[in-house]
Amino acid sequence: MSSTTVTTASSHEVSAPHSSLGTSLSVSDKKAREVRRIHHIPRPEGLEAQRRWQLEQMAGAFRIFARLGFADGSSGHISLRDPVKPDTFWINPYGVHFGVLTISDMVQVDRQGNRIGGADKLVNKAGFIIHSMIHDARPDINAACHMHSPYGRAWSTFGRPIDMLNQDSCMFYDDLSVYADFGGVVFAPEEGRKIAQALGPCNKNVILQNHGLLTSGGTIAEAAAFFIALERACQTQLLVEAAVNPANVGGGVSGLSKAFVSEEEAVYTKAGTGTPEVMYMQFVPEYQLILKETNGDFLI
């Protein structure tokens, strides 16, 4: 069971303040001693500060993706709508490994693909087409991630959404589309437009059949956290499908079958695990680790 849309058309301070990282007891109802978990996106004041904050997350996200094995030659890109000039966006340069990217490598482009800031480097044409169409179609999307990650690429072959198999799958309840018309490498604006249309007016995540995954959000952190979660959900789905296949030991001998999360519970779980604030906090530990491992060398 899943609730998805299937489309067939041919500043270094990433973490929230300490008080918002943990839990606090409700003052209004001490008898119930309700524990409230507080999630908060610590957005800086000022557009220039927000630009720097998001570029730091962008460079950090590439390092995280490299560590997780999402790098694949020159494929894959992350885009960031510029807070200062929102009709432009930042994207990674073509042909530079995720594991060596820094803030100063990012390229700022306009709607026509002209470089207007950042590094004087080439950008991936397919990446520009996909991301420009998404940013044009969805003003609420400030960041998008597209990678050819192993499990997402494998599951995309089937052109199917993921099932609501567990708590983590429910992050994508009613928030996942499938684009079922693979049109080859995206060199034409029309193909990018179709991918943007597949997301629809509200969804932030899409499985591109025979291609891979694309996730998005209001911040780099949200989009990156969604990507990591969707890649792992695809891995789980593949493991479960193998286990219940009658031709395999699990399905044939033990009679294993899937137990789905109910729609009611999926709605409830999505509200608690898949919001922009929660996804932001999902990214924070990964960012903290990459800062420690690299000594922040991507921040230059």
Side-chain angles (χ1 to χ4, degrees), residues 38-298:
I38 302 171
H39 297 95
H40 171 64
I41 300 176
R43 197 177 302 276
E45 293 185 9
L47 297 180
E48 293 284 353
Q50 289 181 29
R51 173 194 279 169
R52 174 69 190 188
W53 171 65
Q54 284 294 273
L55 285 171
E56 289 177 357
Q57 289 185 17
M58 184 176 179
F62 277 115
R63 298 299 187 91
I64 293 165
F65 285 1
R67 178 166 52 80
L68 294 175
F70 299 167
D72 184 24
S74 58
S75 300
H77 11 86
I78 298 176
S79 65
L80 166 68
R81 187 190 302 276
D82 185 63
V84 179
K85 298 179 179 179
D87 58 341
T88 70
F89 65 91
W90 297 81
I91 194 167
N92 52 301
Y94 181 70
V96 181
H97 195 280
F98 295 172
V100 299
L101 281 170
T102 66
I103 291 175
S104 58
D105 289 316
M106 305 308 168
V107 184
Q108 186 181 13
V109 295
D110 63 17
R111 289 181 175 177
Q112 288 71 47
N114 302 309
R115 174 189 166 273
I116 63 167
D120 187 11
K121 297 181 179 181
L122 299 175
V123 300
N124 184 303
K125 181 178 180 180
F128 166 76
I129 290 173
I130 293 171
H131 291 262
S132 64
M133 292 299 174
I134 289 171
H135 287 299
D136 280 349
R138 292 281 300 275
D140 61 310
I141 290 176
N142 293 324
C145 303
H146 169 56
M147 308 289 148
H148 298 173
S149 51
Y151 296 108
R153 182 164 46 185
W155 182 249
S156 76
T157 304
F158 302 104
R160 282 180 47 191
I162 59 169
D163 294 322
M164 298 298 103
L165 297 172
N166 52 51
Q167 174 176 305
D168 295 332
S169 301
C170 293
M171 291 179 183
F172 301 97
Y173 180 81
D174 204 25
D175 198 9
L176 176 65
S177 302
V178 174
Y179 176 60
D181 278 357
F182 176 63
V185 178
V186 184
F187 288 147
E190 183 59 27
E191 183 69 8
R193 193 172 293 111
K194 289 178 180 179
I195 292 173
Q197 289 172 348
L199 274 173
C202 299
N203 286 358
K204 293 182 178 178
N205 309 284
V206 59
I207 295 174
L208 309 175
Q209 185 169 5
N210 304 113
H211 192 168
L213 309 177
L214 187 147
T215 63
S216 64
T219 61
I220 290 286
E222 181 186 1
F226 266 135
F227 194 94
I228 295 168
L230 186 54
E231 169 72 0
R232 289 172 175 166
C234 289
Q235 180 182 11
T236 297
Q237 186 84 40
L238 288 164
L239 289 170
V240 170
E241 297 293 342
V244 300
N245 189 326
N248 294 338
V249 173
V253 177
S254 304
L256 294 175
S257 61
K258 299 178 188 176
F260 299 109
V261 177
S262 71
E263 183 171 9
E264 180 182 357
E265 295 305 321
V267 171
Y268 175 80
T269 304
K270 168 65 175 177
T273 65
T275 66
E277 294 78 15
V278 174
M279 298 311 295
Y280 184 94
M281 293 306 299
Q282 283 287 102
F283 180 76
V284 168
E286 298 286 352
Y287 189 86
Q288 290 170 338
L289 179 59
I290 207 68
L291 270 177
K292 180 178 180 181
E293 290 178 343
T294 65
N295 199 30
D297 69 358
F298 57 86

